[in-house]
Amino acid sequence: VMGVKGAAYATVISQILAFVLCMIYMWMRYPELRINAGNLKAEAGLVKEMVSTGFSMGFMLSLINIGSVALQTCINEFGKDIIVAHTAARKITDVFMMPFSVFGAAMATYCGQNLGAGKYDRIRKGLKIVIGITWVWCLLVVIVSYTIVPVFIKMVTGTYNDKIVDTATLYLKVNTILYFVCTIICIMRNALQGIGDTKTPVISSSIELITKVAVAVMLTPYMGYMAIIIAEPVSWGLMVIPILIQMWRNPIINTRKV
């Protein structure tokens, strides 16, 4: 009835309701999380650490989104069918990648907690377990992409246009093969943030931004939409390098010690 305005109201109201319910649940079930007057006293060292980590994570996410905007600018030049195909592929990609972001966020908290407790062995074991779980998911996603994903595309788009379905399917087939690398990036980037490494994730995200922009600008005129398809896999292959180096060098998360 209200159109876009109704969707906006629904979003804000649902977020406020979720916030209120979470606060009530936290207050009732977790007394240790209740804020009192004593908690409001600021500690310079703690504030500095929180600001540093917060800015690092915010900057990292901004770089990721700027790269996506750069790609979208090029996509808009390919016409309606390609735009629809890409939009459908990205919606399915968001579902496929959901475990990556969820486990990544979980590992940031998990690693931070165990770092504070001095339980480095739990950090390393947790990383191995989570990477193993997400790799199993990656395998299932690859199988879906090479078998029944056209059905999902038709459901999302409501069309049987062969160009749209084939283009979106190709995008998913190429991208999902590199999900195993993307998993490492999503999980380890957050884990590094959790243990206080604010530089490596930003360096990795900067490589992602530069690669996406370079591929979009330099290869699109020659490769067309295929340049957009390979932009993220290429960026993953490059941005994982500093993360792997830090995984090897950092004794807290070096899983060889498990």
Side-chain angles (χ1 to χ4, degrees):
V1 177
M2 298 178 65
V4 175
K5 185 183 291 187
Y9 280 130
T11 300
V12 174
I13 292 172
S14 64
Q15 290 175 340
I16 293 174
L17 181 60
F19 169 76
V20 171
L21 291 176
C22 286
M23 289 298 295
I24 293 173
Y25 182 81
M26 182 187 77
W27 183 267
M28 294 178 63
R29 293 293 301 272
Y30 300 100
E32 64 273 16
L33 296 180
R34 296 174 186 172
I35 299 175
N36 54 51
N39 301 135
L40 300 179
K41 183 180 179 180
E43 298 179 18
L46 182 60
V47 171
K48 181 180 179 181
E49 183 178 350
M50 293 296 292
V51 170
S52 176
T53 301
F55 271 112
S56 175
M57 296 190 77
F59 189 54
M60 177 186 73
L61 293 174
S62 69
L63 291 172
I64 296 171
N65 290 320
I66 290 172
S68 298
V69 170
L71 288 181
Q72 188 62 51
T73 302
C74 295
I75 294 165
N76 292 338
E77 300 178 0
F78 291 115
K80 183 179 68 175
D81 287 348
I82 297 297
I83 293 173
V84 172
H86 183 80
T87 302
R90 287 305 307 177
K91 287 182 178 180
I92 296 172
T93 295
D94 290 342
V95 176
F96 284 171
M97 286 189 169
M98 194 175 296
F100 305 166
S101 58
V102 171
F103 278 115
M107 288 310 296
T109 304
Y110 176 84
C111 290
Q113 290 174 336
N114 283 283
L115 175 69
K119 298 180 179 180
Y120 302 157
D121 59 324
R122 284 175 55 84
I123 293 176
R124 294 188 286 267
K125 289 179 180 178
L127 287 171
K128 291 187 72 173
I129 292 171
V130 167
I131 290 173
I133 292 172
T134 50
W135 275 9
V136 171
W137 172 256
C138 289
L139 180 59
L140 294 175
V141 165
V142 171
I143 293 173
V144 169
S145 295
Y146 280 80
T147 53
I148 61 173
V149 83
V151 176
F152 295 159
I153 295 168
K154 292 172 184 177
M155 291 171 59
V156 170
T157 61
T159 181
Y160 288 84
N161 184 313
D162 289 339
K163 182 179 180 181
I164 293 175
V165 174
D166 293 345
T167 301
T169 299
L170 178 62
Y171 180 97
L172 292 167
K173 284 183 176 180
V174 173
N175 275 247
T176 53
I177 290 294
L178 271 293
Y179 275 11
F180 298 95
V181 177
C182 183
T183 296
I184 296 293
I185 295 169
C186 292
I187 292 173
M188 295 309 305
R189 191 161 53 185
N190 282 278
L192 289 169
Q193 292 278 9
I195 64 173
D197 184 345
T198 58
K199 295 180 180 180
T200 305
V202 172
I203 292 173
S204 178
S205 298
S206 299
I207 293 173
E208 179 181 15
L209 171 61
I210 294 170
T211 304
K212 284 182 176 180
V213 173
V215 169
V217 173
M218 298 173 62
L219 298 184
T220 299
Y222 304 99
M223 299 178 64
Y225 183 67
M226 179 55 72
I228 304 299
I229 292 177
I230 68 171
E232 283 194 315
V234 171
S235 68
W236 295 337
L238 294 176
M239 65 189 292
V240 76
I241 294 174
I243 292 176
L244 291 176
I245 292 173
Q246 194 64 3
M247 285 176 63
W248 181 268
R249 294 175 56 187
N250 194 308
I252 296 176
I253 62 174
N254 191 327
T255 54
R256 293 174 301 156
K257 294 178 178 284
V258 178

PDB file of all heavy atoms in Angstrom, residues 19 25 29 36 42 44 57 62 69 83 97 103 116 193 198-199 219 223 240 250 258:
ATOM      1  N   PHE A  19      16.201  -5.088  18.316  1.00  0.00           N
ATOM      2  CA  PHE A  19      17.085  -4.507  19.335  1.00  0.00           C
ATOM      3  C   PHE A  19      16.472  -4.636  20.726  1.00  0.00           C
ATOM      4  O   PHE A  19      17.140  -5.063  21.675  1.00  0.00           O
ATOM      5  CB  PHE A  19      17.357  -3.038  19.005  1.00  0.00           C
ATOM      6  CG  PHE A  19      18.034  -2.282  20.114  1.00  0.00           C
ATOM      7  CD1 PHE A  19      19.388  -2.457  20.360  1.00  0.00           C
ATOM      8  CD2 PHE A  19      17.309  -1.403  20.919  1.00  0.00           C
ATOM      9  CE1 PHE A  19      20.015  -1.765  21.395  1.00  0.00           C
ATOM     10  CE2 PHE A  19      17.922  -0.717  21.948  1.00  0.00           C
ATOM     11  CZ  PHE A  19      19.286  -0.893  22.190  1.00  0.00           C
ATOM     12  N   TYR A  25      16.372 -10.015  26.360  1.00  0.00           N
ATOM     13  CA  TYR A  25      16.916 -11.367  26.515  1.00  0.00           C
ATOM     14  C   TYR A  25      18.276 -11.319  27.212  1.00  0.00           C
ATOM     15  O   TYR A  25      18.556 -12.114  28.120  1.00  0.00           O
ATOM     16  CB  TYR A  25      17.052 -12.016  25.139  1.00  0.00           C
ATOM     17  CG  TYR A  25      17.566 -13.438  25.174  1.00  0.00           C
ATOM     18  CD1 TYR A  25      16.697 -14.494  25.454  1.00  0.00           C
ATOM     19  CD2 TYR A  25      18.895 -13.726  24.930  1.00  0.00           C
ATOM     20  CE1 TYR A  25      17.155 -15.803  25.496  1.00  0.00           C
ATOM     21  CE2 TYR A  25      19.374 -15.018  24.969  1.00  0.00           C
ATOM     22  CZ  TYR A  25      18.498 -16.060  25.244  1.00  0.00           C
ATOM     23  OH  TYR A  25      18.969 -17.350  25.287  1.00  0.00           O
ATOM     24  N   ARG A  29      19.000 -13.105  30.809  1.00  0.00           N
ATOM     25  CA  ARG A  29      19.776 -14.340  30.786  1.00  0.00           C
ATOM     26  C   ARG A  29      21.252 -14.172  31.123  1.00  0.00           C
ATOM     27  O   ARG A  29      21.898 -15.116  31.560  1.00  0.00           O
ATOM     28  CB  ARG A  29      19.659 -14.982  29.403  1.00  0.00           C
ATOM     29  CG  ARG A  29      18.255 -15.490  29.060  1.00  0.00           C
ATOM     30  CD  ARG A  29      17.858 -16.675  29.939  1.00  0.00           C
ATOM     31  NE  ARG A  29      18.784 -17.770  29.774  1.00  0.00           N
ATOM     32  CZ  ARG A  29      18.675 -18.721  28.855  1.00  0.00           C
ATOM     33  NH1 ARG A  29      17.639 -18.692  28.010  1.00  0.00           N
ATOM     34  NH2 ARG A  29      19.558 -19.708  28.769  1.00  0.00           N
ATOM     35  N   ASN A  36      26.415  -1.116  34.311  1.00  0.00           N
ATOM     36  CA  ASN A  36      26.171  -0.325  35.519  1.00  0.00           C
ATOM     37  C   ASN A  36      27.098   0.889  35.520  1.00  0.00           C
ATOM     38  O   ASN A  36      27.906   1.079  34.603  1.00  0.00           O
ATOM     39  CB  ASN A  36      26.370  -1.178  36.781  1.00  0.00           C
ATOM     40  CG  ASN A  36      27.740  -1.859  36.793  1.00  0.00           C
ATOM     41  OD1 ASN A  36      28.758  -1.194  36.604  1.00  0.00           O
ATOM     42  ND2 ASN A  36      27.755  -3.176  37.014  1.00  0.00           N
ATOM     43  N   ALA A  42      35.860   5.299  31.634  1.00  0.00           N
ATOM     44  CA  ALA A  42      36.689   5.017  30.458  1.00  0.00           C
ATOM     45  C   ALA A  42      38.133   4.741  30.851  1.00  0.00           C
ATOM     46  O   ALA A  42      38.686   5.399  31.737  1.00  0.00           O
ATOM     47  CB  ALA A  42      36.635   6.195  29.493  1.00  0.00           C
ATOM     48  N   ALA A  44      41.836   4.653  29.135  1.00  0.00           N
ATOM     49  CA  ALA A  44      42.505   5.170  27.937  1.00  0.00           C
ATOM     50  C   ALA A  44      43.023   4.058  27.030  1.00  0.00           C
ATOM     51  O   ALA A  44      42.824   4.079  25.812  1.00  0.00           O
ATOM     52  CB  ALA A  44      43.646   6.098  28.342  1.00  0.00           C
ATOM     53  N   MET A  57      38.124  -2.308  11.084  1.00  0.00           N
ATOM     54  CA  MET A  57      37.054  -3.117  10.515  1.00  0.00           C
ATOM     55  C   MET A  57      36.145  -2.276   9.614  1.00  0.00           C
ATOM     56  O   MET A  57      35.711  -2.720   8.553  1.00  0.00           O
ATOM     57  CB  MET A  57      36.231  -3.762  11.636  1.00  0.00           C
ATOM     58  CG  MET A  57      37.022  -4.744  12.476  1.00  0.00           C
ATOM     59  SD  MET A  57      36.020  -5.723  13.605  1.00  0.00           S
ATOM     60  CE  MET A  57      35.322  -6.923  12.476  1.00  0.00           C
ATOM     61  N   SER A  62      34.491  -0.756   4.098  1.00  0.00           N
ATOM     62  CA  SER A  62      34.282   0.305   3.110  1.00  0.00           C
ATOM     63  C   SER A  62      35.041   0.022   1.825  1.00  0.00           C
ATOM     64  O   SER A  62      34.540   0.273   0.724  1.00  0.00           O
ATOM     65  CB  SER A  62      34.703   1.659   3.685  1.00  0.00           C
ATOM     66  OG  SER A  62      36.109   1.733   3.862  1.00  0.00           O
ATOM     67  N   VAL A  69      30.946  -1.260  -5.885  1.00  0.00           N
ATOM     68  CA  VAL A  69      30.345  -0.140  -6.611  1.00  0.00           C
ATOM     69  C   VAL A  69      31.063   0.084  -7.938  1.00  0.00           C
ATOM     70  O   VAL A  69      30.435   0.363  -8.972  1.00  0.00           O
ATOM     71  CB  VAL A  69      30.397   1.148  -5.756  1.00  0.00           C
ATOM     72  CG1 VAL A  69      30.001   2.360  -6.579  1.00  0.00           C
ATOM     73  CG2 VAL A  69      29.481   1.018  -4.543  1.00  0.00           C
ATOM     74  N   ILE A  83      22.308  -7.001 -16.670  1.00  0.00           N
ATOM     75  CA  ILE A  83      22.043  -6.439 -15.341  1.00  0.00           C
ATOM     76  C   ILE A  83      21.140  -7.372 -14.538  1.00  0.00           C
ATOM     77  O   ILE A  83      21.388  -7.644 -13.354  1.00  0.00           O
ATOM     78  CB  ILE A  83      21.408  -5.036 -15.456  1.00  0.00           C
ATOM     79  CG1 ILE A  83      22.414  -4.046 -16.051  1.00  0.00           C
ATOM     80  CG2 ILE A  83      20.929  -4.545 -14.093  1.00  0.00           C
ATOM     81  CD1 ILE A  83      21.821  -2.688 -16.348  1.00  0.00           C
ATOM     82  N   MET A  97      27.149 -17.365   0.272  1.00  0.00           N
ATOM     83  CA  MET A  97      28.255 -16.854   1.093  1.00  0.00           C
ATOM     84  C   MET A  97      27.849 -16.541   2.529  1.00  0.00           C
ATOM     85  O   MET A  97      28.701 -16.165   3.330  1.00  0.00           O
ATOM     86  CB  MET A  97      28.833 -15.591   0.454  1.00  0.00           C
ATOM     87  CG  MET A  97      29.666 -15.834  -0.779  1.00  0.00           C
ATOM     88  SD  MET A  97      30.490 -14.313  -1.287  1.00  0.00           S
ATOM     89  CE  MET A  97      31.645 -14.954  -2.511  1.00  0.00           C
ATOM     90  N   PHE A 103      30.310 -17.208  10.076  1.00  0.00           N
ATOM     91  CA  PHE A 103      31.441 -17.811  10.779  1.00  0.00           C
ATOM     92  C   PHE A 103      32.576 -16.811  10.971  1.00  0.00           C
ATOM     93  O   PHE A 103      33.299 -16.869  11.973  1.00  0.00           O
ATOM     94  CB  PHE A 103      31.951 -19.034  10.013  1.00  0.00           C
ATOM     95  CG  PHE A 103      31.164 -20.283  10.277  1.00  0.00           C
ATOM     96  CD1 PHE A 103      30.423 -20.890   9.275  1.00  0.00           C
ATOM     97  CD2 PHE A 103      31.167 -20.869  11.526  1.00  0.00           C
ATOM     98  CE1 PHE A 103      29.692 -22.043   9.520  1.00  0.00           C
ATOM     99  CE2 PHE A 103      30.441 -22.024  11.788  1.00  0.00           C
ATOM    100  CZ  PHE A 103      29.694 -22.615  10.773  1.00  0.00           C
ATOM    101  N   GLY A 116      42.116 -13.167  25.145  1.00  0.00           N
ATOM    102  CA  GLY A 116      42.089 -12.600  26.481  1.00  0.00           C
ATOM    103  C   GLY A 116      42.283 -13.644  27.565  1.00  0.00           C
ATOM    104  O   GLY A 116      42.888 -13.370  28.605  1.00  0.00           O
ATOM    105  N   GLN A 193      41.480  -9.703  13.044  1.00  0.00           N
ATOM    106  CA  GLN A 193      40.932  -8.550  13.752  1.00  0.00           C
ATOM    107  C   GLN A 193      40.701  -8.899  15.218  1.00  0.00           C
ATOM    108  O   GLN A 193      40.955  -8.092  16.112  1.00  0.00           O
ATOM    109  CB  GLN A 193      39.604  -8.122  13.116  1.00  0.00           C
ATOM    110  CG  GLN A 193      39.714  -7.549  11.716  1.00  0.00           C
ATOM    111  CD  GLN A 193      40.100  -6.082  11.703  1.00  0.00           C
ATOM    112  OE1 GLN A 193      40.453  -5.519  12.726  1.00  0.00           O
ATOM    113  NE2 GLN A 193      40.041  -5.467  10.535  1.00  0.00           N
ATOM    114  N   THR A 198      45.245  -5.232  13.145  1.00  0.00           N
ATOM    115  CA  THR A 198      44.391  -4.305  12.417  1.00  0.00           C
ATOM    116  C   THR A 198      44.949  -3.934  11.047  1.00  0.00           C
ATOM    117  O   THR A 198      44.262  -3.268  10.261  1.00  0.00           O
ATOM    118  CB  THR A 198      44.195  -3.011  13.232  1.00  0.00           C
ATOM    119  OG1 THR A 198      45.474  -2.420  13.500  1.00  0.00           O
ATOM    120  CG2 THR A 198      43.494  -3.318  14.555  1.00  0.00           C
ATOM    121  N   LYS A 199      46.178  -4.352  10.757  1.00  0.00           N
ATOM    122  CA  LYS A 199      46.820  -3.943   9.504  1.00  0.00           C
ATOM    123  C   LYS A 199      46.585  -4.931   8.366  1.00  0.00           C
ATOM    124  O   LYS A 199      46.225  -4.533   7.255  1.00  0.00           O
ATOM    125  CB  LYS A 199      48.323  -3.760   9.730  1.00  0.00           C
ATOM    126  CG  LYS A 199      48.670  -2.627  10.682  1.00  0.00           C
ATOM    127  CD  LYS A 199      50.178  -2.498  10.850  1.00  0.00           C
ATOM    128  CE  LYS A 199      50.518  -1.346  11.809  1.00  0.00           C
ATOM    129  NZ  LYS A 199      51.983  -1.212  11.995  1.00  0.00           N
ATOM    130  N   LEU A 219      40.070  -4.618 -18.332  1.00  0.00           N
ATOM    131  CA  LEU A 219      39.700  -5.833 -19.067  1.00  0.00           C
ATOM    132  C   LEU A 219      38.301  -5.804 -19.656  1.00  0.00           C
ATOM    133  O   LEU A 219      38.027  -6.509 -20.631  1.00  0.00           O
ATOM    134  CB  LEU A 219      39.842  -7.061 -18.154  1.00  0.00           C
ATOM    135  CG  LEU A 219      41.253  -7.356 -17.638  1.00  0.00           C
ATOM    136  CD1 LEU A 219      41.247  -8.647 -16.831  1.00  0.00           C
ATOM    137  CD2 LEU A 219      42.238  -7.465 -18.783  1.00  0.00           C
ATOM    138  N   MET A 223      37.106  -8.035 -22.718  1.00  0.00           N
ATOM    139  CA  MET A 223      36.485  -9.300 -22.340  1.00  0.00           C
ATOM    140  C   MET A 223      34.989  -9.181 -22.096  1.00  0.00           C
ATOM    141  O   MET A 223      34.322 -10.198 -21.912  1.00  0.00           O
ATOM    142  CB  MET A 223      37.161  -9.859 -21.078  1.00  0.00           C
ATOM    143  CG  MET A 223      38.646 -10.144 -21.245  1.00  0.00           C
ATOM    144  SD  MET A 223      39.399 -10.757 -19.705  1.00  0.00           S
ATOM    145  CE  MET A 223      38.515 -12.307 -19.492  1.00  0.00           C
ATOM    146  N   VAL A 240      44.412 -13.000  -0.699  1.00  0.00           N
ATOM    147  CA  VAL A 240      44.648 -14.051   0.293  1.00  0.00           C
ATOM    148  C   VAL A 240      46.134 -14.161   0.637  1.00  0.00           C
ATOM    149  O   VAL A 240      46.494 -14.712   1.688  1.00  0.00           O
ATOM    150  CB  VAL A 240      44.120 -15.413  -0.224  1.00  0.00           C
ATOM    151  CG1 VAL A 240      45.065 -16.010  -1.263  1.00  0.00           C
ATOM    152  CG2 VAL A 240      43.916 -16.389   0.939  1.00  0.00           C
ATOM    153  N   ASN A 250      52.189 -15.625  12.414  1.00  0.00           N
ATOM    154  CA  ASN A 250      51.621 -15.336  13.723  1.00  0.00           C
ATOM    155  C   ASN A 250      51.517 -16.609  14.570  1.00  0.00           C
ATOM    156  O   ASN A 250      50.779 -17.532  14.215  1.00  0.00           O
ATOM    157  CB  ASN A 250      50.231 -14.707  13.555  1.00  0.00           C
ATOM    158  CG  ASN A 250      49.733 -14.080  14.839  1.00  0.00           C
ATOM    159  OD1 ASN A 250      49.728 -14.704  15.876  1.00  0.00           O
ATOM    160  ND2 ASN A 250      49.310 -12.827  14.764  1.00  0.00           N
ATOM    161  N   VAL A 258      48.782 -27.068  16.190  1.00  0.00           N
ATOM    162  CA  VAL A 258      47.712 -27.860  16.809  1.00  0.00           C
ATOM    163  C   VAL A 258      48.141 -29.308  16.946  1.00  0.00           C
ATOM    164  O   VAL A 258      48.627 -29.882  15.974  1.00  0.00           O
ATOM    165  CB  VAL A 258      46.424 -27.755  15.984  1.00  0.00           C
ATOM    166  CG1 VAL A 258      45.339 -28.610  16.612  1.00  0.00           C
ATOM    167  CG2 VAL A 258      45.953 -26.311  15.943  1.00  0.00           C
TER     168      VAL A 258
END
